[in-house]
Amino acid sequence: MTISLHEFIQGLPKAELHLHIEGSLEPELMFALAQRNGVTLPYATVEEIRAAYNFTDLQSFLNLYYAGAAVLLTEEDFYDLTMAYIQRALADQVRHVELFFDPQTHTARGVSTEIVFAGIARALRQARQEHAFSGSMILCFLRHLSEEDALLTLQAALPLREQYADLWNGVGLDSAEVDNPPERFARVFAQARELGFHLVAHAGEEGPPAYIHSALDILQVERIDHGVRAEEDEALMQKLAKTQMPLTVCPLSNLKLCVVDDLSKHNLARMLRAGLCITINSDDPAYFGGYMNANFIASADALDLSRAELVQLAKNGFCASFAPAEQKQLWLEELDAFASSTH
Ligand code: ADE
Ligand code: ZN
């Protein structure tokens, strides 16, 4: 079957490994939840919200992202939020998501960890039942807060581990990166590792390559979220290629947060061609202008990615996931069948 490059991207089966569920809150849903919950937003219309999404750096985004999350109060809210993301993911041929969630953003407002888990989990389990879609949950610690707070957050969530054993399998580190290096969270990551959780961390988005080194060497993470500043350190690039350490790259996020000023200058194609395990992801799609397919399409157009490279990026997503080996094999077979039946 002959199809266009964009149709090829649309049809490719994909896995998403870097998605903050709170970052999938579209202005329409933000408005609806504000009304439902009697929360006052500092915006009169959905258009006003969208117009405010003009970011200069990570912090300028985080300010709005945390403010937007204030409409999330009940289990139903977290269910609706997650279901809305799943519908977008299904439309983009996403087969699997390992979603991030930030309990501290919610407990600080009096919303319990139980409510957050319950709403997200109900949506993920329903999607597993009704569609060929799987998901898991990665609890992220906010790095602008203390390690003590992160330790308390892990403690508060642990009683839920058994109830959500089919979903919650990892911990991560996000929020304001600069001046909050990974090593500040060495103890909580060591504890999570001893408990058998998978480990990931944001590093090298705005922070220096040294933060990628410490995420690897001190936190002992299994994937680096973003990691685009690795290119400034040749020895690190060699190590990432040799170990096939996955980087969950988010092109439209990097553009919106001014990590790059033009997608044609993004280093994901160079890093892929240098043999690194690069994946494409949407990060906070409601804020950055697109879900998975939009990220793939914008990257392919700006960087002249070939179909073989797009297949490699999609494969990397499945291979770098924490799903069971037999499941990965099935996805890779589906991907190969799609790629070989189209040109
Ligand atoms: N939280 C949500 N999106 C994030 C990003 N891109 N970097 C760090 N923390 C985040
Ligand atoms: Zn992120």
Side-chain angles (χ1 to χ4, degrees):
M1 192 182 26
T2 305
I3 57 176
S4 70
L5 186 72
H6 289 189
E7 287 167 335
F8 181 77
I9 289 172
Q10 271 147 15
L12 262 184
K14 303 166 194 80
E16 173 141 63
L17 306 179
H18 186 155
L19 179 276
H20 302 264
I21 197 64
E22 295 91 346
S24 71
L25 178 59
E26 291 286 342
E28 288 77 7
L29 185 58
M30 193 190 291
F31 235 82
L33 296 183
Q35 283 196 331
R36 184 158 96 190
N37 292 329
V39 173
T40 309
L41 288 173
Y43 310 101
T45 61
V46 163
E47 291 69 36
E48 253 186 53
I49 304 184
R50 284 224 160 77
Y53 293 173
N54 250 317
F55 311 118
T56 50
D57 57 11
L58 175 58
Q59 191 60 54
S60 66
F61 153 69
L62 290 172
N63 295 340
L64 291 198
Y65 164 83
Y66 295 128
V71 303
L72 298 164
L73 292 179
T74 67
E75 189 215 303
E76 195 75 13
D77 299 339
F78 287 93
Y79 169 83
D80 289 345
L81 173 71
T82 309
M83 229 358 139
Y85 166 73
I86 291 168
Q87 296 305 329
R88 302 277 198 150
L90 286 169
D92 282 2
Q93 302 300 320
V94 174
R95 301 280 184 269
H96 179 70
V97 65
E98 301 191 349
L99 67 79
F100 299 149
F101 65 113
D102 294 335
Q104 287 154 300
T105 299
H106 312 300
T107 52
R109 301 178 292 110
V111 177
S112 71
T113 305
E114 284 81 356
I115 283 181
V116 180
F117 266 90
I120 297 173
R122 184 151 65 88
L124 288 174
R125 285 174 177 157
Q126 187 180 329
R128 191 167 57 202
Q129 291 278 315
E130 295 179 356
H131 307 279
F133 186 85
S134 69
S136 62
M137 299 167 64
I138 297 180
L139 183 158
C140 286
F141 304 116
L142 298 180
R143 69 201 304 162
H144 68 272
L145 301 177
S146 68
E147 185 180 43
E148 212 50 57
D149 209 293
L151 285 161
L152 290 172
T153 301
L154 183 58
Q155 282 312 312
L158 280 180
L160 304 173
R161 191 174 187 190
E162 208 175 292
Q163 192 181 343
Y164 298 104
D166 56 325
L167 294 170
W168 179 28
N169 64 357
V171 306
L173 184 65
D174 63 6
S175 193
E177 185 184 8
V178 173
D179 296 332
N180 293 308
E183 55 270 29
R184 270 193 55 217
F185 296 87
R187 286 182 306 154
V188 72
F189 270 71
Q191 202 177 100
R193 188 168 67 248
E194 273 158 32
L195 288 163
F197 286 106
H198 289 293
L199 307 178
V200 299
H202 283 55
E205 178 186 19
E206 286 189 344
Y211 287 18
I212 303 176
H213 280 290
S214 56
L216 294 172
D217 299 341
I218 299 175
L219 302 190
Q220 299 188 29
V221 298
E222 298 159 81
R223 296 195 296 250
I224 295 286
D225 296 315
H226 292 293
V228 291
R229 287 195 58 192
E231 219 184 15
E232 297 166 30
D233 179 337
E234 184 49 33
L236 176 58
M237 288 287 282
Q238 299 287 339
K239 176 172 167 173
L240 294 173
K242 187 161 165 237
T243 57
Q244 286 297 288
M245 174 60 55
L247 303 190
T248 64
V249 174
C250 307
L252 289 177
S253 163
N254 294 155
L255 183 64
K256 277 295 254 185
L257 301 188
C258 307
V259 170
V260 286
D261 57 21
D262 192 309
L263 262 198
S264 66
K265 295 186 196 153
H266 200 288
N267 62 9
L268 82 90
R270 274 201 305 277
M271 295 197 295
L272 181 72
R273 289 164 193 161
L276 274 69
C277 181
I278 303 297
T279 68
I280 287 190
N281 308 271
S282 71
D283 206 4
D284 301 283
Y287 292 87
F288 300 150
Y291 289 76
M292 281 291 266
N293 285 355
N295 275 276
F296 268 82
I297 287 172
S299 304
D301 289 350
L303 298 165
D304 252 329
L305 299 174
S306 69
R307 292 189 189 205
E309 287 170 333
L310 291 162
V311 167
Q312 188 63 51
L313 288 162
K315 275 191 183 173
N316 290 348
F318 290 115
C319 292
S321 78
F322 298 137
E326 319 81 71
Q327 180 60 67
K328 289 187 189 183
Q329 195 51 41
L330 292 174
W331 284 321
L332 294 178
E333 282 166 15
E334 187 196 359
L335 218 168
D336 278 334
F338 172 80
S340 58
S341 70
T342 55
H343 55 270

